Amino acid sequence: MTKKLFFFLLLGLFANPIFGQSPAGTYNANNRFEQLESILPTPNSYRTASGSPGKDYWQQRADYDIKVELDDINRKIIGSETITYFNNSPDELPYLWLQLDQNLFEKGSAGSTSKTGDIKNGISASAFKELTDPKSYGYKITAVKDMKGNALRYTINQTMMRIDLPTPVKSGASVSFAIDWNYLITEYYGRSGYEFFAKDGNANYFIAHWFPRMAVYNDVYGWQHKQFLGQGEFTLNFGNYKVAITAPNDIVVGAGGELLNPNQVMTATQLKRWEKAKTATRPVEIINQEEAEQAEKGKPTGKKTWIYKADNVRDFAFTASRKFIWDAMQVDVEGKKVWAMSYYSKEGNPLWGKYSTMVVAHTLRSYSKRTVAYPYPVAISCHATLGGGMEYPMISFNGGRPETDGTYSENVKNGMIGVIIHEVGHNFFPMIINSDERQWSWMDEGLNTFCQYLAEQEWDRNFPARRGEAQSIVPYMRLDSKNQVPVMANSENIMDFGNNAYAKPAAALNILRETVMGRELFDYAFKEYARRWAFKQPYPADFFRTLEDASGVDLDWFWRGWFYGTEPVNQSIETVEWYGIDNQDPIAKKAKDKADFTAKRETISNIRNKTDIKETVVEKDPDMNDFYNSYDRFATSEAEKKKYQDYLASLSDDERKLVAEGKNFYVVNFKNKGGLPMPVIVKLSFEDGTEEVLRFPAEIWRLNDVQAKKIIPTSKKVAKWTLDPYYEIADIDTDDNSFPREPAQPTRVQLFKAQPRSYGAGQANPMQDAQNAKKAAGAVTGSKN
């Protein structure tokens, strides 16, 4: 455009004083968009700058051969194991570290002694039992030997045990050793234990972190032997398992693996149903409710051993009960047949029989599509207590229980479906993509909650997801920053675990997918992360770098704000200035001048003078008129008309078209009040009832992270501007997201009818006191009441 086009300010609804630039030093733009190199670990040949495993990447492996007996009378585990540990690191290892997670329940453990609490509002039954239980929990290690039967020296440090080797295990070599142990099973505490049913005298067992397990030794931390305090979960090696579980012969045992001896532990009827389930489209009951209820009343006549194997898994868990109903079906997952199955007692019906296994099948399909194809032969959901859930490879313990009469609320139903999706989904994060839960809870909980949200929407279009949407995290982000910690906080140090480890990273990923990157770029990069790190041990930098590497989107500002910071998103529209092109038409200009002049004459004095001054001197005496009384100051001269024609002739065709269109130009002043920079999404509602949504990337704040002005041209006049119209950036205050501002809604007060009140002898009656005072005042002044 040439210099011959000029602009003038149009007076109208949006005309406002210009909002000045922020004073020097009040914004901090460069830090917001600075690269993360100073924070992320330096890339090397183990973990590359692209976020993929390097050419020298290595990880350890541990194979287990375990024999265990479930003592149903004493609620006890008695086990022996042989561990073969493969040292794939470049280092010689003079000792090995193992995890003894059951020692969390040992008296004097760091997990128990570091707990805080108060009882001024009462004490729960579980807390009371924990404080007063006389039983001695935790591992009783009875032997640690090499393969020749020689005792190995070991040292127990709370939930960790170090085994000192007679000779270091060299790089590329392996070592085998055996451990015997036992422990008393605790009541179910959310991760493992038993649930007792007083009505029939039976228990459901959910047995996890039940055997001494190898700690991880890797290129990031060396030995990962942070103590288990209960909140941070587990960091484990992959390996192959063979597990023989002996239990009373009337108890059904399910486990995270493939059953090797079905003919020895299942009846002919159960085997026939098992075959039928291979081709069924709905779950087949291997053991039905009537059979389970009959088993509840019986007594064992001996013992039975269930043998399971699980290859390339990072852990092993099992469930057992004589109360169990067991259903199963085989489903196609990415071209592979996988067993989906559930174990539940009658207390879970009718919900569990109808939904559990179907939800397992759906979860496998949904997650496989977004990550990697589910590699294992089975996925199990077990009904454990009233709520919550816990995950292990191929098996999960899930809550959700109807009332005793079989009825249930919508919340209970959806809560059960949600928790099954979540816990079965953990097969992918962290059971396959094997992140370090002891350090970074968000890498399994947050990523999994995000995938859970997507799977829930695929289950039911109207599913009331608790987490995942940007808006779901707003109440948490409104909290004072003193009550928050960054997502990048150690698992044991997180204050609001549900919001910080689950909801905030899930909402952040959904914002990345929907708003920052777009679905195509995000889905490809997220799947690439899963593909790269399947059956490996990723850390945060590997995730951050992979998503940028595979998408071509610079996200350092996003990780810095959402994962390393606690600032909220709070954008506002401060002002809108409305401009139009001055087409220099003298006739139009004079018409506007005349309208402005006439409008300015409408003062209160002139309005009243029209009636109060009946006749002016000039009106009464025409001789008082002269040239100026008849002169039209708003008339266009011939010279002005010619100048206008010459101006139009000097313009190009495009410029003449622009002048003729009469475009509107708006200068919209956005403010970043919360601190966390995010894309700006603004909806334009035009006077003719149509709408348009404009999107500006987060880089709009890169030079000034407090204020950003945008010139927005439109062909139509804008009646209203709305920030974040689809609630996609987690803005914590939407009251200032509209311009002009939406009128404030009134505070609602309840209208009620006053009730008469009786007063006893000697009681003050405030109404009567007021009337008496009024009468007294009237007597003094002589007025009437």
Side-chain angles (χ1 to χ4, degrees):
M1 185 183 297
T2 69
K3 294 181 180 179
K4 298 170 185 174
L5 293 182
F6 301 96
F7 296 88
F8 67 89
L9 178 64
L10 294 178
L11 297 177
L13 178 64
F14 298 105
N16 283 277
I18 295 177
F19 191 92
Q21 291 291 325
S22 298
T26 62
Y27 53 87
N28 189 18
N30 288 341
N31 285 354
R32 306 280 187 195
F33 291 89
E34 183 183 342
Q35 299 303 99
L36 282 178
E37 271 79 359
S38 60
I39 296 176
L40 299 183
T42 303
N44 51 46
S45 61
Y46 305 137
R47 297 169 191 271
T48 70
S50 69
S52 63
K55 63 183 179 66
D56 296 324
Y57 175 83
W58 56 268
Q59 64 186 33
Q60 310 291 64
R61 175 182 149 195
D63 291 349
Y64 297 82
D65 190 338
I66 308 175
K67 294 178 176 60
V68 60
E69 181 172 350
L70 171 63
D71 182 345
D72 183 42
I73 302 298
N74 297 302
R75 310 271 192 254
K76 189 174 183 179
I77 288 289
I78 304 142
S80 63
E81 66 181 348
T82 298
I83 301 176
T84 302
Y85 184 72
F86 298 86
N87 181 16
N88 298 321
S89 79
D91 309 317
E92 284 191 0
L93 302 178
Y95 48 77
L96 306 176
W97 281 98
L98 286 84
Q99 303 182 57
L100 302 181
D101 301 303
Q102 287 297 322
N103 285 359
L104 173 70
F105 306 103
E106 193 175 33
K107 292 188 186 300
S109 73
S112 63
T113 57
S114 64
K115 284 184 180 179
T116 59
D118 197 347
I119 60 172
K120 62 184 177 183
N121 295 320
I123 186 170
S124 68
S126 60
F128 179 81
K129 182 174 178 58
E130 181 180 345
L131 292 168
T132 60
D133 194 339
K135 292 182 181 178
S136 177
Y137 294 102
Y139 283 110
K140 307 297 183 292
I141 304 294
T142 55
V144 179
K145 300 178 181 179
D146 64 17
M147 289 297 91
K148 295 180 180 179
N150 299 316
L152 293 174
R153 180 180 175 183
Y154 65 91
T155 301
I156 295 177
N157 176 15
Q158 298 190 57
T159 62
M160 291 290 167
M161 178 171 74
R162 188 189 70 235
I163 297 179
D164 299 326
L165 301 175
T167 58
V169 56
K170 296 184 179 299
S171 174
S174 65
V175 61
S176 297
F177 55 95
I179 303 175
D180 296 339
W181 78 97
N182 64 80
Y183 71 88
L184 294 177
I185 306 169
T186 64
E187 289 188 20
Y188 190 78
Y189 82 105
R191 300 202 191 283
S192 70
Y194 68 89
E195 179 182 10
F196 180 69
F197 296 84
K199 190 173 181 179
D200 55 53
N202 292 299
N204 292 347
Y205 293 94
F206 309 99
I207 306 301
H209 47 93
W210 54 280
F211 57 98
R213 303 178 293 179
M214 290 301 308
V216 164
Y217 182 82
N218 66 19
D219 61 292
V220 177
Y221 290 107
W223 283 109
Q224 169 53 290
H225 46 31
K226 290 181 69 69
Q227 294 292 339
F228 180 43
L229 302 182
Q231 182 163 281
E233 294 180 320
F234 311 110
T235 306
L236 298 159
N237 304 278
F238 286 106
N240 299 331
Y241 287 75
K242 183 179 179 183
V243 182
I245 305 164
T246 300
N249 63 354
D250 61 343
I251 279 181
V252 177
V253 176
E258 184 178 359
L259 180 62
L260 295 182
N261 63 334
N263 292 326
Q264 283 73 50
V265 294
M266 296 168 65
T267 67
T269 300
Q270 291 167 357
L271 288 169
K272 186 180 294 185
R273 294 169 179 168
W274 182 262
E275 287 301 315
K276 180 182 177 182
K278 291 180 180 179
T279 56
T281 57
R282 302 283 297 182
V284 173
E285 290 181 333
I286 311 302
I287 298 174
N288 60 37
Q289 182 164 331
E290 182 181 352
E291 292 163 340
E293 289 177 345
Q294 188 63 35
E296 289 178 349
K297 304 170 186 176
K299 297 292 181 183
T301 58
K303 297 179 181 180
K304 188 186 293 185
T305 299
W306 302 65
I307 302 175
Y308 284 91
K309 77 161 187 172
D311 291 339
N312 204 21
V313 294
R314 59 169 240 161
D315 200 1
F316 191 95
F318 68 92
T319 188
S321 177
R322 60 178 54 86
K323 291 171 60 67
F324 276 155
I325 303 162
W326 175 16
D327 70 36
M329 67 177 183
Q330 277 200 339
V331 296
D332 184 274
V333 181
E334 303 277 315
K336 176 185 176 181
K337 289 291 186 181
V338 177
W339 281 106
M341 59 178 68
S342 300
Y343 295 85
Y344 49 96
S345 52
K346 65 178 185 295
E347 287 79 10
N349 268 339
L351 271 177
W352 277 73
K354 183 173 184 178
Y355 289 111
S356 179
T357 296
M358 296 297 289
V359 176
V360 172
H362 166 67
T363 304
L364 297 180
R365 295 186 182 110
S366 178
Y367 277 64
S368 293
K369 176 175 61 178
R370 302 187 187 283
T371 57
V372 295
Y374 187 71
Y376 297 126
V378 64
I380 299 170
S381 170
C382 305
H383 180 215
T385 72
L386 296 176
M390 190 60 201
E391 72 281 356
Y392 302 94
M394 293 185 260
I395 190 169
S396 58
F397 310 147
N398 307 312
R401 182 171 295 174
E403 301 295 328
T404 54
D405 63 359
T407 61
Y408 53 84
S409 68
E410 185 179 16
N411 285 342
V412 167
K413 169 194 165 184
N414 290 328
M416 184 201 77
I417 292 172
V419 78
I420 292 174
I421 291 175
H422 183 88
E423 305 306 339
V424 173
H426 269 307
N427 277 290
F428 296 83
F429 305 100
M431 303 307 164
I432 297 170
I433 296 95
N434 183 22
S435 56
D436 183 348
E437 301 172 275
R438 191 63 57 87
Q439 291 278 17
W440 309 111
S441 291
W442 71 266
M443 289 195 74
D444 71 296
E445 299 297 358
L447 270 61
N448 184 43
T449 301
F450 165 69
C451 290
Q452 172 193 347
Y453 166 75
L454 299 179
E456 286 171 345
Q457 306 316 301
E458 293 170 338
W459 174 266
D460 185 343
R461 195 175 301 279
N462 299 312
F463 194 92
R466 291 175 57 215
R467 296 163 174 157
E469 285 283 2
Q471 283 299 96
S472 67
I473 198 59
V474 165
Y476 174 66
M477 295 184 74
R478 283 181 180 149
L479 296 177
D480 190 299
S481 60
K482 295 176 183 177
N483 297 321
Q484 298 185 51
V485 294
V487 171
M488 288 292 290
N490 178 269
S491 298
E492 295 292 354
N493 301 334
I494 298 171
M495 290 186 289
D496 191 332
F497 199 77
N499 277 313
N500 189 275
Y502 295 69
K504 187 175 181 180
L509 294 179
N510 195 39
I511 290 170
L512 274 184
R513 184 174 188 257
E514 299 289 5
T515 303
V516 176
M517 300 170 69
R519 291 188 174 190
E520 182 178 358
L521 285 175
F522 178 89
D523 289 349
Y524 180 88
F526 191 77
K527 192 175 182 71
E528 177 65 8
Y529 166 73
R531 186 195 66 78
R532 286 180 177 182
W533 290 98
F535 301 105
K536 297 182 178 68
Q537 296 170 347
Y539 278 87
D542 304 315
F543 179 72
F544 297 154
R545 286 167 167 157
T546 292
L547 258 65
E548 294 193 30
D549 179 70
S551 69
V553 181
D554 181 2
L555 297 172
D556 285 15
W557 63 271
F558 189 87
W559 310 130
R560 186 183 298 277
W562 277 91
F563 286 76
Y564 288 91
T566 58
E567 289 179 309
V569 181
N570 187 3
Q571 297 178 0
S572 70
I573 300 178
E574 294 294 295
T575 59
V576 177
E577 301 155 15
W578 180 23
Y579 296 84
I581 292 178
D582 184 353
N583 62 12
Q584 301 192 43
D585 182 349
I587 297 175
K589 185 176 186 303
K590 289 295 181 69
K592 182 181 183 303
D593 291 345
K594 184 175 183 179
D596 291 345
F597 178 82
T598 302
K600 290 175 182 178
R601 291 284 299 164
E602 288 297 302
T603 65
I604 189 63
S605 297
N606 286 337
I607 291 171
R608 290 171 177 169
N609 286 343
K610 289 177 183 178
T611 56
D612 289 355
I613 301 175
K614 304 302 181 182
E615 189 176 30
T616 66
V617 171
V618 171
E619 291 169 348
K620 185 176 182 179
D621 186 355
D623 285 343
M624 295 298 99
N625 282 310
D626 68 358
F627 167 78
Y628 290 106
N629 291 93
S630 60
Y631 169 71
D632 185 359
R633 72 184 68 189
F634 300 110
T636 306
S637 68
E638 291 302 319
E640 288 173 320
K641 292 178 182 178
K642 184 176 186 307
K643 183 179 179 181
Y644 177 58
Q645 294 300 322
D646 291 343
Y647 162 72
L648 291 177
S650 71
L651 300 178
S652 67
D653 291 342
D654 288 341
E655 289 171 336
R656 274 193 294 274
K657 183 178 179 182
L658 183 58
V659 169
E661 283 180 350
K663 265 196 180 306
N664 302 283
F665 290 85
Y666 296 93
V667 178
V668 185
N669 181 27
F670 302 106
K671 190 172 183 181
N672 178 14
K673 297 165 67 175
L676 178 52
M678 285 293 289
V680 174
I681 304 103
V682 60
K683 181 173 74 174
L684 288 61
S685 301
F686 298 107
E687 288 183 344
D688 65 359
T690 60
E691 296 177 342
E692 181 181 3
V693 175
L694 303 177
R695 294 174 177 270
F696 306 110
E699 284 78 7
I700 193 174
W701 308 103
R702 71 188 184 279
L703 300 180
N704 183 334
D705 65 344
V706 174
Q707 175 185 290
K709 289 187 175 183
K710 287 295 294 182
I711 301 172
I712 300 175
T714 68
S715 298
K716 296 178 285 187
K717 293 179 182 178
V718 180
K720 179 181 175 182
W721 304 78
T722 306
L723 266 179
D724 191 24
Y726 306 123
Y727 304 100
E728 54 187 297
I729 62 171
D731 194 317
I732 66 168
D733 180 9
T734 57
D735 288 347
D736 52 13
N737 282 15
S738 296
F739 197 96
R741 294 284 187 261
E742 294 283 0
Q745 295 299 311
T747 301
R748 303 295 179 182
V749 295
Q750 185 177 2
L751 183 64
F752 62 91
K753 184 178 180 181
Q755 299 297 319
R757 178 178 174 183
S758 61
Y759 293 88
Q763 286 185 301
N765 184 333
M767 292 297 292
Q768 188 63 51
D769 290 346
Q771 290 173 2
N772 292 338
K774 187 176 181 182
K775 288 179 181 179
V780 171
T781 61
S783 63
K784 293 183 179 180
N785 291 302

